Amino acid sequence: MNERPTARPHPGHPRRRGARPARIGLALAGGGPLGAIYEIGALAALSEALQGIDLNHADVYVGVSAGGFIAAGMVNGFSPHQMSRLFIEGQKSADRFDPAMLLRPALREYWQRLRSLPPLAAQAAWNYVVRPGNLMGSLERLGRAIPTGIFSGEEVDRYLARIFDQPGRSNDFRRLAHKLYLVATDLDTGESVAFGAEGIDHVPISRAVQASAALPGLFPPVEIEGRHFVDGALRKTLHASIALEHGVDLLLCLNPLVPYDSRPTHRARDRAHRLGKLVEGGLPVVLAQTFRSIIHSRLDAGMERYKTAYPDTDIVLFEPNRSDADMFFTNLFSYGSRRRLCEHAYQKTRQELWERRHELGPRLARHGVKINTGVLRDESLSLVKSIRRQREALLEFESANATRQLAHTLDDLERYLRHVYA
């Protein structure tokens, strides 16, 4: 009953009506573990419901931060459903991803900063002796001993290098069948750098993913050939212009982070979190909303520019609904939350495709892509196995319960008829 429909790869590329094959691009924004989980669920829904396109064979992939992790997997042949099994459900295999690797302390960074503390303390003391009234100036020198990140990103590099070194995959941008760009920010200049571009395509993909996802404060900057790189989202949210400059005809964009709309009409549907106002959630909630608002305002401005600069390209953006409390409040540090959130993203994207089918249908059809409404109408479909089993058990229980109720009703009817006609 729950047999999953598979994406039906179109031979070659989708074709534009009476023209050359359509060029397809995929741009994935960042968002930390939350972003990666959302994108896996959303991509799984898209791969099932969109006929005439194979998301593992797009012409151009652009990934930023966590989106780079997913893009690198996609171009290496990992389907969204495989990613769900490996990264979300922890399927036992050589490719299994252990989220604990993201929480390993940056011991090398700690040690380097600790070694610098004695000379910095001596300098601060001497500065205070020379300038007794400049206490803050003296203490500022000690700031150089504070680690630049809490967690190490080295395990991400090692993990990806290992799985991309297997047959049929590659850790080398130059050996990929399709173009891949992973965007990071040069810490010393503030400039965006697209690894995979000519001249910097010799950097291993695994190292570029680590650099693109090095969120300042959480992960130390990543050194590559004497330069230090941090999260690629510092300059732009999506960097979709990289794919657009390649002349793609259809660009699918995913953005996991949107500001939460906590108006009373939405809070009424969100009884689980029980916040009258976001300020009641304290500093973490306030900072999260602020960060999301800044990120999304840049995305909005960028999308408007893209429409003007690339009028011949159909750009389709998928992102969570702003009233989606699960995407804002979910605790990511338990497997249960990750499984539930991935399934949630999958179902919400299916719902979005259904609601936008009249808008998106003609735009996608221009590129040989069709929305399979039959798949979207199938309410039995789910992505995460453990949740699917729960749903099947619930359906079986409800079916058995309905059968019992029907039997009781028929028995009552039979007794009533016997009494009436006795």
Side-chain angles (χ1 to χ4, degrees):
M1 178 180 67
N2 235 358
E3 188 68 22
R4 175 177 307 286
T6 57
R8 298 173 183 157
H10 196 79
H13 294 294
R15 287 194 173 275
R16 306 177 79 185
R17 194 179 306 164
R20 60 172 172 76
R23 290 176 56 80
I24 308 297
L26 188 63
L28 306 178
L34 173 72
I37 293 168
Y38 168 81
E39 288 174 348
I40 290 172
L43 287 169
L46 294 176
S47 68
E48 289 179 359
L50 299 184
Q51 292 182 337
I53 185 172
D54 185 346
L55 296 181
N56 285 110
H57 292 281
D59 294 273
V60 184
Y61 296 83
V62 179
V64 182
S65 192
F69 187 99
I70 303 301
M74 294 288 291
V75 78
N76 264 293
F78 286 95
S79 73
H81 296 84
Q82 286 177 304
M83 291 187 190
S84 175
R85 291 192 293 271
L86 294 173
F87 305 151
I88 306 301
E89 299 191 70
Q91 174 181 285
K92 294 182 179 179
S93 74
D95 294 339
R96 180 180 181 272
F97 177 80
D98 182 4
M101 71 175 62
L102 299 175
L103 303 178
R104 292 179 183 173
L107 297 179
R108 181 185 301 177
E109 172 71 8
Y110 296 167
W111 172 241
Q112 290 176 347
R113 298 293 167 173
L114 184 62
R115 288 174 55 193
S116 71
L117 185 57
L120 287 174
Q123 292 174 20
W126 176 251
N127 185 73
Y128 184 71
V129 170
V130 175
R131 299 178 181 147
N134 190 19
L135 177 61
M136 293 304 299
S138 301
L139 293 178
E140 282 179 4
R141 294 176 180 270
L142 297 178
R144 301 178 186 180
I146 299 175
T148 57
I150 301 173
F151 305 114
S152 172
E154 297 293 334
E155 288 298 320
V156 173
D157 179 16
R158 282 192 280 268
Y159 168 77
L160 292 178
R162 176 172 58 80
I163 66 171
F164 290 164
D165 193 41
Q166 297 176 11
R169 304 170 189 162
S170 178
N171 200 29
D172 189 331
F173 286 98
R174 297 163 295 185
R175 296 184 178 180
L176 296 173
H178 309 284
K179 293 298 295 183
L180 170 66
Y181 297 95
L182 301 173
V183 185
T185 304
D186 187 316
L187 182 63
D188 292 305
T189 66
E191 297 177 347
S192 297
V193 176
F195 291 103
E198 187 175 354
I200 49 175
D201 52 0
H202 61 284
V203 175
I205 294 173
S206 57
R207 190 68 169 172
V209 170
Q210 181 192 355
S212 180
L215 183 64
L218 286 183
F219 299 99
V222 177
E223 183 177 359
I224 300 177
E225 298 178 351
R227 302 168 67 184
H228 291 84
F229 296 93
V230 293
D231 197 300
L234 265 62
R235 286 291 301 272
K236 294 181 182 179
T237 301
L238 198 57
H239 291 275
S241 57
I242 296 174
L244 293 168
E245 289 168 1
H246 274 267
V248 296
D249 304 300
L250 173 63
L251 180 62
L252 303 179
C253 305
L254 271 69
N255 171 53
L257 298 184
V258 297
Y260 177 54
D261 187 343
S262 65
R263 286 178 293 184
T265 53
H266 297 148
R267 291 202 302 270
R269 297 194 298 266
D270 176 32
R271 296 186 178 89
H273 301 289
R274 301 184 184 280
L275 289 182
K277 294 286 187 178
L278 289 185
V279 70
E280 297 174 11
L283 181 61
V285 170
V286 171
L287 290 179
Q289 180 76 332
T290 302
F291 176 73
R292 286 163 174 263
S293 298
I294 293 172
I295 289 289
H296 203 266
S297 65
R298 294 190 315 182
L299 175 65
D300 286 339
M303 295 299 286
E304 289 301 319
R305 289 195 301 269
Y306 298 151
K307 291 177 184 178
T308 303
Y310 304 93
D312 295 329
T313 301
D314 280 304
I315 305 172
V316 181
L317 173 66
F318 295 94
E319 57 184 8
N321 189 290
R322 296 192 184 197
S323 63
D324 191 337
D326 281 321
M327 285 298 299
F328 188 83
F329 292 102
T330 295
N331 172 20
L332 299 176
F333 295 97
S334 72
Y335 263 118
S337 293
R338 283 190 283 272
R339 292 183 181 119
R340 180 179 56 78
L341 184 61
C342 191
E343 178 70 22
H344 178 75
Y346 169 80
Q347 297 294 352
K348 287 295 184 180
T349 304
R350 283 165 46 83
Q351 180 182 341
E352 181 181 358
L353 278 170
W354 175 259
E355 294 173 350
R356 297 177 64 187
R357 65 191 185 281
H358 299 303
E359 167 216 340
L360 295 179
R363 297 173 63 190
L364 296 173
R366 289 198 288 266
H367 312 287
V369 181
K370 178 183 177 182
I371 299 176
N372 188 335
T373 55
V375 168
L376 298 179
R377 282 195 297 263
D378 188 348
E379 297 182 358
S380 69
L381 292 178
S382 58
L383 174 62
V384 181
K385 286 184 178 180
S386 57
I387 294 178
R388 183 160 67 247
R389 287 194 293 268
Q390 292 173 7
R391 293 184 64 183
E392 289 174 349
L394 179 60
L395 287 172
E396 289 177 4
F397 172 78
E398 290 177 344
S399 176
N401 191 44
T403 301
R404 285 194 298 271
Q405 289 181 346
L406 178 60
H408 292 325
T409 301
L410 292 175
D411 289 343
D412 291 342
L413 178 60
E414 182 180 2
R415 285 193 293 270
Y416 172 76
L417 291 175
R418 286 177 178 175
H419 173 73
V420 171
Y421 295 103

